[in-house]
Structures are given as structure tokens and as C-alpha cells.
Amino acid sequence: MAEDLKKYLPTTRKELDIRGWNEVDIIFFSGDAYVDHPQFGAAVIGRVLEAHGYRVALVPQPDWHGDHRDFLKLGRPRLFFGITAGSMDSMVNHYTANKRRRSDDAYTPDGRAGMRPDYCTVTYTRILKQHFPDVPVVIGGIEASMRRLAHYDYWSDSFMPSILVDSCADILVYGMGEKAIVQVADRLKEQGTVPHDVPQTAFRTDDSSAVSGEILRLRGYEEEKHNKLIYAEDFRLTEIESNKIVAKTILQDDIVVNPPFPPMSSEELDAVYDLPFQYLPHPKYAGKRIPAYEMIRFSVCLHRGCFGGCSFCTISAHQGKQIASRSKESIMRQISRLKDLPEWKGYLSDLGGPSANMYGMHGKNRHLCEKCARPSCLQPNICTNLHQNFAPLLDIYRSVDKLPYIKKAFVGSGIRYDLMSEAYGRQLITRHVSGRLKVAPEHCSDQVLRLMRKPQWKEYLQFRDFFNKVNREAGMHQQLIPYFISSHPGCTTRDMAALAEETKRMNYHPEQVQDFTPTPMTLSTCMYYTGVNPYTMEQVFVAKDKNSKQQQNKYFFWWKKNNTISTR
């Protein structure tokens, strides 16, 4: 048992003793259970620091009530505390679009709810600052990343400052933070002070005049709070700058956001995935199921980043617009390890990524990409500089299919049907669909789709016809399952009535539908809060009150007997 525990990052004093450690360099606190798998951010960051020679401990889901013993049990780290709310923003994790409290948590043993606080990053940081005021606290993960500047918070219906202000953390690592966190650790080890020049970090400063390099100055939090149009203008500037390969430093009041690192090379990304992950939950969870782990245990992420630029999505703001792809060799090594896991039956649940069919894609001319500020390479039209080469991805699919221990490799991640070749489409549909292919047209109204930065409805219909044709030719009877969103900014009841007519015409009875949920640092949330499109400053209709949102949602269920909504 002791030898098994040594294969994981230590989580208790007993596990430190097993390793013979009297102290650790870094202690992480995470809102998720500890699953030692590269799909879980806390495990990745811990393993990366471990590979650089640091002693790292991880405390998953500490009890924030009472005497805070979980925050004290491992003592004081030599360098810093690290905090992540987990794989989701804690408020998205806790509440539905209608702000109802969820009854479960997929990132917790047995799906139990209530194992992390609201605004998890802020709560954890304040507790640590209360007990260890002189120890630096580094925050990161999706919650901190998307709240690095002033932002609208849907759940409190309020405009909030940077999470650095509310949490009192010393430094924030945004995005996929492997390179940044190592540099922060190295500087603290060498100099003993929190560094202010590490790329992909944000911090507070007493002297903004000392900030060097090209600077994008935003208006202050108070100005944005009291004038929504000012916030809309600043959001547009922030989104444009955040999508650049060569970006400026962003300054807002005393908040400094350094430019990001360049996208990771294949060699750098391979090095992360080749770390000694166990691909299992920590042994402390023996006999319990962690739903999020069960969904991804036999999945393989091929790349990072997304150049789709959907208005409601946080992927490009967090992972970046440029694609960072693993090598085929690294992918095959991971698959070889997965086959040795308990309960392996020969099926890969996903060969994917943020958008599964973007693997290996990039600009033909990188110099043009370095000058580009488009949030999306696909909308309103596909960039002529985009190198649409599906050959490397098809080679991976076909090589995986040939492995003797693979019965079927599915693509469970979303795909962009506006980014497609016939060869890729046929391979996907005939070899990698589990009977149902889920795609996300999101709506049928072209004016709503423009605001969403999604392809026109006719492109979905063209893909549907192609999907059905390939199925007929292959003698298959698979289903195409479209996902839709109601109450997105710009969507009226007339638009929802049109969508109801379309789904009725297709004889499609949606069972799981999504009501738009505003999340920090997305264009859709900016439109929801301000009522304008920040790129045109034109007014946008927004269904905000609970009744309006429920009325829009009802249009999805035109086929239910007790639904009296008219689609005419």
C-alpha cells in the first residue's frame, strides 16, 4: 500500500512520512477530487513541478468550515501555496442557468454536492492568508483565469473587480499554466520574492509606471462598473489583444496582465503527457466513483487551443486560439498505457480535443498570423491563410484502428462541421461514431448565429445531408444529434419559434437542451450584461428575467402535450 501511495502526489502527512519528507516546497489546494490523469489540471501542474525537482503536495477538496484543519495539516510550504477551483468555475459547477443549486458534482467522489465553496478560489485564498499571511499564494485554473480582469458575475448579478482584488492572492497564472508555474517557482526559489515579469501571469502593483513594454491601458474598474458602454469597449480591446500571438501587457488600475507564452511546441506538450500519471483516482477514493473521471478515463486529448472563437465559449480565452498538437508517437504511448488500466475493454471514448478536427492545423504564413487579431479563423468566413490539412489526424485515426487491443476508438469531442473534408468526414462517420454523432449548430437564425460566431444554418443542413448519405452508403443507421441554445443575446421569441418549426420539420424531439449561462470573459456575457455588441456598439435584445428565459426554453418542447406554445 505504501508503495502504491508513493506513485501519487502526497495528500496527507502520512504520505509525506512515507516519502521521508519533513517539508514540501509547494502545497496545492483543489476544488476537485485528486485524479492523477492529464485531463485534470491540478494533477498536471503538480506533476510538471515534480518533474522540475520540486516537492509538491496536493490537498483535494479541503473542508473550509470550522477550524480549517485541512488547510493546516501539511504545515507551511517552503515556497508557496497554489490554488485552483478545479476543472470548472465553481459557480458553473454549483448552479444551473436558472441559478438553481445543482444536486451533484461530477468532480467529487460519488458525485456528492457541497464539497467546495462558492467562489472557491477566493474562499481558499482568504483562509490561507488568514493563517499564513507571509506565504505567497498563486492562483490559477479556469475560475481564476477567466476572472483576471474586471468582469460581470451572473450569479451575484454584479460587476466585480479582478479576482486578485477579492482573493488577495499574490499572483495569478492564467491559461494552461505549465511554463508559467515553473518560472514562478524557480524565481521564488532563487530570489525569495514573487516575480512580476513572468509571461502569462497577472499581479497587483503599487507603481504602474514601472510596467515596461507595449501597454494596453483599460479604463478602471469603477468607470466600467458605472458605464456599461465603457466596459463593452474595453472588452473588445481585451478580446482582440488576448487572441494575438504577440500581445501587449494589459493594465487596469493596479492590475497588470503580462502577455502569454507562445503556444507550446509538440515536444513541450509531449513532455507533459509523458509524465508518470497513474490515470486513476488517488487510492483514498477506493470503492467510490468520480463521474467526471469515468467519462474521460479512456479518452486521449490530441491537442490544445481552438480557433473557432464561439462567442459563448471560454476555450480560446483560456487555452489560446493557436493549436498546440501532440506528436503521433506521444499519443500512441498514452494509448498503450491506457490498455493496462483496470476495466479496459478495448474502447477509447474519445480521440479528441477542444474541437476534435483542428489537430495539427495552423496558418500557412505565420507572419500573417502574428499580425492577425481576428477572434475566429472560421467566422464570418474561413481564413484563407488557414492550412486545412486533415492528413495527420487521419493517419492517427487509422493507426489507432490497427492496434490489436483497440476494438473501437470514438471521437467524443465536438467537431466543427464548417471545417471538414470528404475524406475526414467519411472516416469519422464510418469508423468513430458510437451510433450518435453530436454536433452544435446552436440555432437556426442566421442573425443569432452571427452573434454566436457560428456557421449559418444551411451549413448544418449540408452536413446533415452528407452524414445521412455516408450512412446509407455504408449500410449504417446512425443518428445526428444537434445541440441548441435558448436565450442567447440577440435571440427573440420569434427566433425560438423559427427554431421550433425547424426541429418539428426534422421530427427532432430534443430532450437535453441548454439555456445560455453567462460566464466571465466571453463575448456573449458582455452582450448579455451591456445589451450591446461591443464590436459594433449596436443594441442587442437580451432575455434576462426568469420568465423570459423559461418561455424561450419552452420552444424546444413543442412536441409535449402540455406545452401550449405556438410555432406559428
Side-chain angles (χ1 to χ4, degrees):
M1 182 62 177
E3 287 304 311
D4 287 341
L5 287 173
K6 287 174 70 173
K7 296 176 182 177
Y8 295 80
L9 299 173
T11 66
T12 64
R13 174 61 62 181
K14 174 185 175 182
E15 291 169 64
L16 296 184
D17 292 341
I18 289 171
R19 291 180 175 229
W21 292 0
N22 294 320
E23 65 174 357
V24 293
D25 298 315
I26 301 152
I27 302 174
F28 277 101
F29 293 86
S30 172
D32 289 345
Y34 173 28
V35 178
D36 199 46
H37 191 292
Q39 297 284 64
F40 289 78
V44 171
I45 296 299
R47 288 295 190 184
V48 166
L49 286 165
E50 179 186 57
H52 281 79
Y54 291 101
R55 292 182 173 184
V56 183
L58 171 62
V59 180
Q61 300 187 314
D63 185 354
W64 68 98
H65 306 91
D67 60 7
H68 302 156
R69 66 184 62 185
D70 283 350
F71 292 89
L72 305 173
K73 65 183 181 181
L74 299 186
R76 177 189 300 266
R78 196 167 64 88
L79 296 179
F80 66 86
F81 289 112
I83 289 175
T84 174
S87 299
M88 296 173 65
D89 184 293
S90 59
M91 303 308 286
V92 178
N93 178 283
H94 283 171
Y95 298 95
T96 69
N98 287 323
K99 301 184 181 180
R100 291 197 306 270
R101 188 83 179 188
R102 298 185 193 275
S103 59
D104 58 3
D105 181 342
Y107 293 88
T108 295
D110 292 333
R112 181 181 173 189
M115 294 297 288
R116 79 188 83 207
D118 287 356
Y119 304 107
C120 184
T121 304
V122 172
T123 301
Y124 286 179
T125 306
R126 287 179 176 177
I127 290 172
L128 289 170
K129 282 296 183 183
Q130 174 188 337
H131 294 285
F132 305 95
D134 58 333
V135 178
V137 175
V138 182
I139 58 176
I142 189 76
E143 181 168 277
S145 183
M146 297 297 97
R147 297 171 182 266
R148 57 189 182 261
L149 291 165
H151 57 279
Y152 170 70
D153 180 73
Y154 171 67
W155 298 274
S156 62
D157 191 24
S158 64
F159 193 71
M160 290 184 164
S162 165
I163 194 170
L164 283 164
V165 174
D166 285 340
S167 69
C168 298
D170 295 275
I171 190 168
L172 182 157
V173 172
Y174 67 89
M176 308 296 276
E178 293 97 338
K179 296 173 78 171
I181 197 68
V182 170
Q183 285 205 12
V184 169
D186 288 348
R187 298 292 185 81
L188 277 166
K189 179 182 177 181
E190 295 161 5
Q191 302 171 5
T193 56
V194 176
H196 286 174
D197 59 348
V198 174
Q200 214 161 305
T201 62
F203 59 92
R204 300 181 74 178
T205 180
D206 295 329
D207 183 12
S208 61
S209 64
V211 180
S212 60
E214 287 193 83
I215 297 173
L216 170 62
R217 295 180 184 271
L218 304 178
R219 265 70 64 91
Y221 162 69
E222 291 293 337
E223 285 184 82
E224 291 183 348
K225 181 179 180 180
H226 292 102
N227 189 324
K228 292 181 179 180
L229 295 184
I230 286 178
Y231 170 65
E233 291 170 357
D234 279 354
F235 176 86
R236 176 179 60 82
L237 294 172
T238 301
E239 186 181 52
I240 289 171
E241 202 64 36
S242 299
N243 278 300
K244 291 180 180 177
I245 292 178
V246 181
K248 299 175 183 176
T249 298
I250 298 176
L251 180 63
Q252 182 177 56
D253 296 326
D254 64 347
I255 304 297
V256 180
V257 180
N258 289 326
F261 280 98
M264 294 178 80
S265 66
S266 290
E267 291 77 16
E268 290 172 325
L269 202 53
D270 288 354
V272 172
Y273 281 88
D274 285 343
L275 293 173
F277 296 101
Q278 298 302 299
Y279 295 93
L280 293 167
H282 188 279
K284 67 165 65 181
Y285 307 119
K288 298 180 180 180
R289 56 181 293 272
I290 300 173
Y293 165 71
E294 294 192 346
M295 289 179 62
I296 59 84
R297 57 169 27 173
F298 298 123
S299 70
V300 181
C301 184
L302 309 185
H303 64 276
R304 290 180 179 174
C306 179
F307 50 73
C310 296
S311 300
F312 48 82
C313 184
T314 60
I315 291 172
S316 62
H318 185 62
Q319 295 192 10
K321 186 176 75 170
Q322 304 298 317
I323 304 300
S325 300
R326 298 169 63 186
S327 70
K328 176 183 174 182
E329 292 73 22
S330 172
I331 292 164
M332 301 302 274
R333 283 195 296 271
Q334 182 180 349
I335 295 171
S336 179
R337 294 186 67 183
L338 292 179
K339 74 175 178 14
D340 297 325
L341 292 178
E343 300 185 37
W344 168 258
K345 293 181 174 61
Y347 297 95
L348 288 176
S349 59
D350 188 20
L351 279 174
S355 289
N357 49 335
M358 290 184 182
Y359 175 84
M361 293 192 183
H362 52 80
K364 300 171 188 173
N365 184 334
R366 184 172 175 82
H367 295 298
L368 291 179
C369 291
E370 290 175 352
K371 298 176 182 178
C372 178
R374 279 180 55 167
S376 171
C377 300
L378 300 180
Q379 296 299 320
N381 48 58
I382 296 180
C383 178
T384 55
N385 190 44
L386 179 63
H387 184 47
Q388 299 182 56
N389 181 12
F390 292 94
L393 184 54
L394 287 170
D395 178 50
I396 289 171
Y397 286 176
R398 290 164 181 160
S399 296
V400 172
D401 272 356
K402 292 177 182 177
L403 293 172
Y405 47 83
I406 294 292
K407 295 178 182 177
K408 198 81 170 179
F410 300 110
V411 175
S413 299
I415 62 159
R416 292 290 301 226
Y417 52 81
D418 52 341
L419 184 69
M420 189 70 58
S421 71
E422 180 162 347
Y424 176 78
R426 287 185 176 277
Q427 175 76 19
L428 171 74
I429 294 166
T430 58
R431 297 291 306 164
H432 306 289
V433 175
S434 60
R436 308 172 93 196
L437 178 62
K438 299 172 184 177
V439 294
E442 309 296 10
H443 215 287
C444 69
S445 164
D446 284 343
Q447 66 96 8
V448 176
L449 291 168
R450 277 193 295 273
L451 292 173
M452 290 179 168
R453 293 194 189 127
K454 295 290 288 187
Q456 292 182 323
W457 178 243
K458 66 180 181 182
E459 293 189 55
Y460 166 72
L461 297 178
Q462 289 167 358
F463 179 73
R464 181 199 63 182
D465 292 344
F466 173 71
F467 179 87
N468 291 336
K469 175 187 175 185
V470 172
N471 270 280
R472 284 194 305 271
E473 292 173 354
M476 306 175 80
H477 303 281
Q478 301 180 126
Q479 291 179 291
L480 187 65
I481 307 298
Y483 280 10
F484 298 106
I485 293 178
S486 62
S487 304
H488 187 275
C491 180
T492 65
T493 52
R494 180 173 295 181
D495 295 316
M496 290 305 299
L499 181 56
E501 286 283 11
E502 286 288 348
T503 55
K504 187 175 183 179
R505 189 176 297 116
M506 294 188 296
N507 195 31
Y508 175 58
H509 297 191
E511 295 175 4
Q512 287 188 319
V513 295
Q514 184 177 352
D515 191 27
F516 170 66
T517 303
T519 55
M521 210 172 174
T522 69
L523 171 60
S524 298
T525 299
C526 178
M527 291 190 288
Y528 175 91
Y529 172 61
T530 64
V532 300
N533 179 348
Y535 283 84
T536 64
M537 300 309 286
E538 296 175 348
Q539 288 194 333
V540 174
F541 171 79
V542 179
K544 278 194 173 183
D545 64 89
K546 185 176 181 179
N547 182 61
S548 297
K549 290 169 74 70
Q550 287 178 341
Q551 284 298 312
Q552 287 212 15
N553 193 262
K554 278 187 177 181
Y555 279 97
F556 286 126
F557 304 104
W558 53 265
W559 45 275
K560 288 192 174 182
K561 291 181 180 179
N562 61 348
N563 192 343
T564 58
I565 293 276
S566 171
T567 61
R568 295 188 180 278

